[in-house]
Amino acid sequence: MKREMREYVATENNRWWMMVICLSFIICHFSFCVALAEDGSRLWLRNDVGAADSLILKIDIKMPKDDGYRISGNTVTARTPKGLLYGKYAWLRGEQGESHPYFKLRILNHWDNLNGSIERGYAGNSIFWNEEMEFDPQLIKAYAEANASIGINGTVLNNVNASPNMLTRKYIKKVKEIADILRPWGIRVYLSVNFGTPKALGETETADPLDPSVRLWWKKKAAQIYKLIPDFGGFLVKANSEGQPGPFDYGRTHADGANMLADALKPFDGIVMWRSFVYGAKHKGEDRVKQAVSEFAELDGKFRDNVILQSKNGPLDFQPREPYAPIFDQMKQTSQMAELQITQEYLGQGDHLVFLAPMWKEFFSFVSPSKLRGIAGVANIGLDKNWCGHHFAQANWYAFGRLAWNPAMSSRQIAEEWLQLTFDSEKIANKDDLLSMMLRSREACVDYMMPLGLHHIFKFDHHMGPQPDGYIPSYPLEWCPIYYHKADKQGIGFDRTTTTGTGATKQYREPYCSLYDDLKTCPEQYLLWFHHVPWTYRTLSGRTLWEELKYRYQRGVSEVEDFIRIWQESKDGIDEERWKAVDAKLKKQSIDAHEWQRVCTGYFGSFVN
Ligand code: GCW
């Protein structure tokens, strides 16, 4: 495999780290090197050039018991070495005052396959895996530093559609090598596991979670892993979902499956992150957005305390806008984590500039962070020189880390910080416009892809571009666009009300249950998500539904055109390499937005007239 080496600008971090562990009071001098190539490879870490050349680091065991820090002038104080590490990066971005991590678990999920491909990856192949089983340690170190700089403290190294081979000795040895590189940066490794592994490897006859030989196999496997990686974090599991094996294969429940793994990990303080992204298993045929609650609600309270249920922010699948997933309301005695998708599977992938912080903030406005034990982000990182494919996709990795540390930060604050750290903001004349472009970009994407809650009308399988007429008889119906928009001569939208629809609204806590259920009170952003609405219905603007849809498609397209203008005007302040790359992507985004508008208005228009 051809491996692309990134320019890695060495700092004295490693030496620094060793010193920190030994001393409670250190004055450390950093050497700052200029990141010469403006190729995006230094991410938001490029601008440490010229920062103060001395920093005082102090350990204070009277600080709160976490990895937070206090910065006063050039002094960083923390209770732990990790806190000093985080404090150093905070100081580099100009922070003062005290700050503590909100979520204890701040974890990236890589959907990387062992052959090096990445499911829903748009930035090249995996930085961890390839056929040769070789990785570039410098690259992994640079990855670790970038994560540490925004407080990410865990990473799942492989795809949730997991290969049983992941748990063979030779791969576990590789995981150990990676873990050893990540450890000094405060990052623990986790693995996705295939529930059927012992059977698939031919080491047991069954994968039934209640079978003693299977339970013993997992216990031994856990011991084997922890012997090599004492701070291993635990397992992430996708079971009985989209063809993956799971406890249902043996007539057992999700709790039986999760608890078996939890018991194996418990002696080592490991956790199980069990995903609730299931449909078409036990509740086949039911409205897809209801199925997670249908499958899990009755199991509330039946999970071990080291099991965390991990759910996507919305009940469907990472659409540009979804109402929050009601499973967060329904599981009252089970620890929960939110899974956000940093990689832009349904948001223009590697081509569209869409800043995701506003979407995640929207989620937190419905699901209080206080309900969550942790947060996971499906990574957008690959071997591309700039890591993320699109330069502005780096901002989403950054935003995930910042919100995992402090979900109260505003999208504006995060975007401002990122712009400041990523470009030479002194040179950019239209900084406010760039900021505004980032902050408007998610809403623009919603407008040209799914106005008024019109969801999942993407082209099959790869999810890029529109296919509203999509229907393949051999596919599960819930993979087909026509299942979601339900356009007919009368109107459009998915009736999920309690009176005439699927009753999905009932899974929400009040006041949302009633608000969403009633056409008159349902927020327009979710209108067609919850209701089948006549074409002639008057929206709040006074326009008919059809006019409003057309208006919003046009608004999305116009927004992207305005982004192109803004980018043109920033040309003099941005290095040529990155400017050109983003310019080309914005032009592609504009073509795509026009395609969404043309295809959707053409197709839906045929029902209106
Ligand atoms: O909708 C799907 C994605 C799959 C993904 C799955 C999941 C990893 O299209 O690529 O599989 O979600 O989250 O498990």
Side-chain angles (χ1 to χ4, degrees):
M1 191 201 75
K2 188 175 161 287
R3 175 165 298 208
E4 196 159 5
M5 287 287 293
R6 292 198 189 89
E7 201 163 316
Y8 180 73
V9 184
T11 65
E12 289 191 358
N13 285 318
N14 286 345
R15 239 178 303 156
W16 173 85
W17 176 258
M18 296 308 294
M19 289 158 72
V20 158
I21 291 173
C22 308
L23 304 170
S24 63
F25 175 75
I26 304 167
I27 299 180
C28 179
H29 291 267
F30 296 111
S31 67
F32 295 102
C33 304
V34 182
L36 291 173
E38 287 295 354
D39 55 13
S41 59
R42 283 284 290 158
L43 299 156
W44 47 85
L45 297 170
R46 65 186 56 244
N47 281 349
D48 53 10
V49 185
D53 61 3
S54 73
L55 180 62
I56 301 166
L57 301 169
K58 285 185 185 170
I59 291 278
D60 176 357
I61 52 160
K62 290 195 286 308
M63 294 259 305
K65 281 190 184 151
D66 62 21
D67 296 322
Y69 52 80
R70 189 170 57 233
I71 307 177
S72 171
N74 275 359
T75 303
V76 175
T77 311
R79 185 189 173 94
T80 65
K82 251 185 175 186
L84 290 181
L85 179 69
Y86 296 142
K88 174 201 127 176
Y89 287 104
W91 173 79
L92 281 171
R93 60 179 174 255
E95 258 181 63
Q96 288 286 312
E98 191 158 337
S99 184
H100 295 271
Y102 190 89
F103 296 112
K104 225 172 161 179
L105 298 169
R106 308 179 294 278
I107 302 181
L108 285 183
N109 287 185
H110 287 267
W111 285 357
D112 295 18
N113 299 310
L114 297 182
N115 68 4
S117 62
I118 302 182
E119 185 154 350
R120 314 303 174 188
Y122 313 106
N125 272 3
S126 171
I127 62 170
F128 303 114
W129 308 111
N130 52 56
E131 303 282 9
E132 294 81 26
M133 292 188 71
E134 278 169 19
F135 58 79
D136 172 1
Q138 287 304 326
L139 195 61
I140 304 300
K141 211 180 263 168
Y143 161 86
E145 181 185 11
N147 280 321
S149 75
I150 48 176
I152 288 170
N153 67 355
T155 180
V156 181
L157 298 177
N158 62 316
N159 192 356
V160 285
N161 290 325
S163 163
N165 289 333
M166 187 73 252
L167 293 184
T168 55
R169 196 173 280 275
K170 74 173 184 174
Y171 278 104
I172 294 173
K173 276 195 186 148
K174 273 284 155 202
V175 174
K176 176 207 159 28
E177 287 174 32
I178 297 171
D180 287 347
I181 301 176
L182 300 182
R183 187 169 300 112
W185 301 91
I187 299 167
R188 293 175 105 178
V189 299
Y190 299 75
L191 290 177
S192 293
V193 297
N194 179 304
F195 194 79
T197 300
K199 181 166 180 261
L201 294 179
E203 296 178 13
T204 57
E205 307 246 298
T206 166
D208 180 350
L210 299 192
D211 185 288
S213 69
V214 175
R215 300 177 74 81
L216 184 65
W217 187 92
W218 284 103
K219 282 200 155 90
K220 284 188 175 161
K221 188 52 73 179
Q224 186 189 51
I225 296 172
Y226 278 93
K227 199 163 169 211
L228 289 177
I229 312 162
D231 57 350
F232 180 72
F235 295 147
L236 171 64
V237 193
K238 171 175 178 175
N240 290 119
S241 167
E242 299 186 330
Q244 293 301 315
F248 291 0
D249 306 351
Y250 307 96
R252 313 299 184 193
T253 67
H254 285 292
D256 294 330
N259 291 343
M260 172 194 62
L261 297 176
D263 290 345
L265 294 169
K266 183 78 179 174
F268 312 99
D269 277 339
I271 57 166
V272 175
M273 294 164 287
W274 190 269
R275 297 175 88 226
S276 78
F277 180 72
V278 294
Y279 61 93
K282 254 210 222 139
H283 291 81
K284 201 171 168 60
E286 191 181 42
D287 178 0
R288 177 167 158 185
V289 305
K290 289 176 70 181
Q291 292 188 37
V293 170
S294 302
E295 291 204 8
F296 282 92
E298 65 189 30
L299 298 174
D300 195 18
K302 301 212 165 102
F303 293 97
R304 300 278 192 267
D305 62 3
N306 58 335
V307 174
I308 307 179
L309 193 65
Q310 178 166 313
S311 302
K312 297 185 181 185
N313 56 293
L316 184 54
D317 191 13
F318 295 136
Q319 302 297 290
R321 167 164 281 132
E322 296 193 29
Y324 72 96
I327 194 155
F328 292 107
D329 290 341
Q330 298 295 335
M331 305 300 283
K332 301 200 163 63
Q333 297 166 59
T334 306
S335 295
Q336 299 204 67
M337 270 177 87
E339 180 180 305
L340 309 174
Q341 197 182 41
I342 309 171
T343 191
Q344 294 166 233
E345 176 179 356
Y346 293 97
L347 291 104
Q349 304 184 353
D351 288 338
H352 293 201
L353 189 162
V354 185
F355 180 51
L356 299 176
M359 180 162 84
W360 301 332
K361 290 291 294 181
E362 189 172 288
F363 167 71
F364 286 137
S365 73
F366 292 99
V367 176
S368 163
S370 64
K371 281 192 158 182
L372 305 173
R373 218 168 116 185
I375 182 153
V378 181
N380 61 353
I381 297 157
L383 278 174
D384 269 11
K385 196 184 264 180
N386 73 14
W387 298 92
C388 301
H390 196 307
H391 286 282
F392 277 77
Q394 296 180 352
N396 292 329
W397 177 7
Y398 185 84
F400 172 77
R402 299 295 285 131
L403 284 175
W405 183 275
N406 177 9
M409 275 186 91
S410 71
S411 302
R412 171 176 290 269
Q413 269 175 299
I414 297 170
E416 256 168 1
E417 246 182 48
W418 179 81
L419 280 169
Q420 176 84 18
L421 296 168
T422 301
F423 297 105
D424 187 349
S425 55
E426 296 300 302
K427 291 203 192 123
I428 299 175
N430 65 341
K431 260 183 288 188
D432 289 348
D433 276 355
L434 285 186
L435 182 62
S436 139
M437 169 174 79
M438 288 179 76
L439 295 176
R440 283 149 55 199
S441 59
R442 186 274 186 136
E443 211 55 49
C445 175
V446 168
D447 272 345
Y448 62 75
M449 285 188 187
M450 53 168 301
L452 299 172
L454 193 56
H455 50 290
H456 216 314
I457 52 176
F458 294 84
K459 283 187 189 154
F460 283 104
D461 305 329
H462 58 73
H463 300 155
M464 182 76 177
Q467 194 169 352
D469 62 351
Y471 175 64
I472 299 179
S474 60
Y475 269 28
L477 188 58
E478 65 270 21
W479 288 4
C480 301
I482 59 151
Y483 169 74
Y484 293 101
H485 62 67
K486 302 200 187 302
D488 56 26
K489 283 280 167 211
Q490 281 68 50
I492 182 171
F494 200 133
D495 186 350
R496 295 192 161 113
T497 61
T498 44
T499 40
T500 51
T502 65
T505 50
K506 231 189 172 150
Q507 293 185 338
Y508 286 88
R509 68 178 191 267
E510 288 295 1
Y512 301 113
C513 169
S514 306
L515 271 178
Y516 297 162
D517 202 53
D518 185 345
L519 179 59
K520 291 196 290 297
T521 55
C522 182
E524 284 195 341
Q525 57 190 19
Y526 305 133
L527 200 61
L528 306 180
W529 187 285
F530 288 115
H531 297 272
H532 190 73
V533 185
W535 293 112
T536 50
Y537 175 83
R538 288 273 157 209
T539 60
L540 291 175
S541 65
R543 290 183 275 269
T544 65
L545 175 70
W546 176 233
E547 287 162 356
E548 183 68 20
L549 277 173
K550 286 192 294 184
Y551 170 80
R552 292 191 184 216
Y553 279 118
Q554 180 54 44
R555 192 170 65 184
V557 164
S558 306
E559 281 289 86
V560 179
E561 274 157 13
D562 198 45
F563 300 163
I564 293 176
R565 172 195 66 81
I566 291 172
W567 195 244
Q568 287 290 336
E569 288 174 10
S570 71
K571 192 169 182 182
D572 292 343
I574 291 174
D575 58 282
E576 200 183 349
E577 187 169 354
R578 285 185 296 166
W579 189 85
K580 276 190 173 156
V582 173
D583 185 54
K585 298 257 183 199
L586 281 171
K587 286 179 178 145
K588 168 77 164 66
Q589 184 171 357
S590 168
I591 292 169
D592 292 348
H594 277 99
E595 185 193 354
W596 275 94
Q597 179 189 38
R598 189 184 63 254
V599 172
C600 293
T601 52
Y603 175 75
F604 294 127
S606 70
F607 292 94
V608 182
N609 304 311

